[in-house]
């Protein structure tokens, strides 16, 4: 762990995890062993980062987010307050042989407050998920989705502005 990482005194950071320089882990957060968090991230209060989760550089994980095994978050992703991730497609308390369904959040994506991300999907580069949405299938890059279940609303550019046609990330 880098010497310029800030870990609040109430946070619990287990051994054998990697936290990049400039990252801040705030009040009552837990980072499990094997987790990897990149440089210059903000891990806000009351968050849970499960074992073997990967979070890229420059991410902002807001209050009360739990990120479970099987979730990979690339660079510059915003995860709003109370976003919910899952990792089991058929959750049963009595299933001893369950398997993790991986979820991928691509570079620059934004997940709105209180959205639910069902496991086994990919959210594309610079996509935006509106607050309160339930995402049940892949989200294309540079699109805004909303609702329950989340559906295409508009194309967006890298900054998140609505545009008339599909944006490929190049000017």
């Amino acid at each position: 762990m880098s010497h310029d990482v800030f870990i609040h005194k109430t946070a619990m950071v287990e051994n054998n995890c990697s936290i990049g320089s400039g990252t801040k882990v705030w009040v009552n957060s837990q980072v499990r062993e094997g987790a990897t968090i990149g440089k210059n991230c903000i891990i806000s209060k009351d968050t849970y980062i499960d074992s073997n989760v990967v979070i890229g550089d420059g991410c902002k994980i807001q209050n009360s987010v739990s990120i479970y095994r099987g979730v990979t978050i690339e660079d510059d992703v915003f995860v709003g307050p109370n976003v919910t991730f899952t990792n089991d497609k058929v959750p049963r308390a009595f299933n001893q042989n369950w398997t993790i369904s991986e979820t991928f959040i691509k570079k620059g994506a934004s997940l709105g407050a209180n959205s639910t991300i069902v496991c086994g999907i990919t959210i594309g580069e610079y996509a935006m998920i509106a607050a309160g949405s339930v995402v049940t299938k892949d989200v294309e890059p540079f699109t805004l989705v909303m609702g329950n279940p989340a559906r295409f609303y508009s194309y967006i550019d890298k900054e998140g502005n609505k545009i008339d046609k599909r944006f490929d990330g190049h000017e």
Side-chain angles (χ1 to χ4, degrees), residues 34-160:
T36 300
I37 301 172
K39 298 179 289 190
N40 300 314
C41 292
I42 297 172
I43 308 299
S44 298
K45 74 185 228 48
D46 301 322
T47 57
Y48 175 75
I49 313 296
D50 203 356
S51 58
N52 302 316
V53 162
V54 176
I55 298 173
D57 297 337
C59 293
K60 293 182 180 179
I61 312 299
Q62 297 295 291
N63 296 351
S64 304
V65 173
S66 294
I67 304 173
Y68 299 107
R69 282 183 291 159
V71 175
T72 298
I73 297 174
E74 292 185 354
D75 297 345
D76 301 321
V77 170
F78 175 86
V79 180
N82 298 296
V83 167
T84 300
F85 289 94
T86 65
N87 67 358
D88 187 353
K89 282 199 180 271
V90 187
R92 294 285 196 219
F94 53 82
N95 183 357
Q96 300 301 312
N97 298 312
W98 69 279
T99 58
I100 291 173
S101 294
E102 293 185 332
T103 300
F104 298 94
I105 313 301
K106 297 294 190 172
K107 180 179 174 78
S110 293
L111 312 180
N114 294 303
S115 57
T116 298
I117 312 302
V118 176
C119 58
I121 64 168
T122 298
I123 295 177
E125 292 85 357
Y126 300 98
M128 293 184 79
I129 311 304
S133 297
V134 178
V135 182
T136 59
K137 57 187 174 185
D138 291 351
V139 175
E140 293 295 318
F142 297 100
T143 59
L144 168 63
V145 299
M146 60 178 57
N148 181 3
R151 294 189 193 326
F152 173 85
Y153 181 75
S154 70
Y155 295 113
I156 57 174
D157 62 16
K158 185 175 178 181
E159 287 74 35

Side-chain angles (χ1 to χ4, degrees), residues 6-17:
F6 172 80
I7 299 174
H8 191 272
K9 65 182 180 179
T10 62
M12 179 188 298
V13 176
E14 296 181 11
N15 294 327
N16 301 320
C17 63

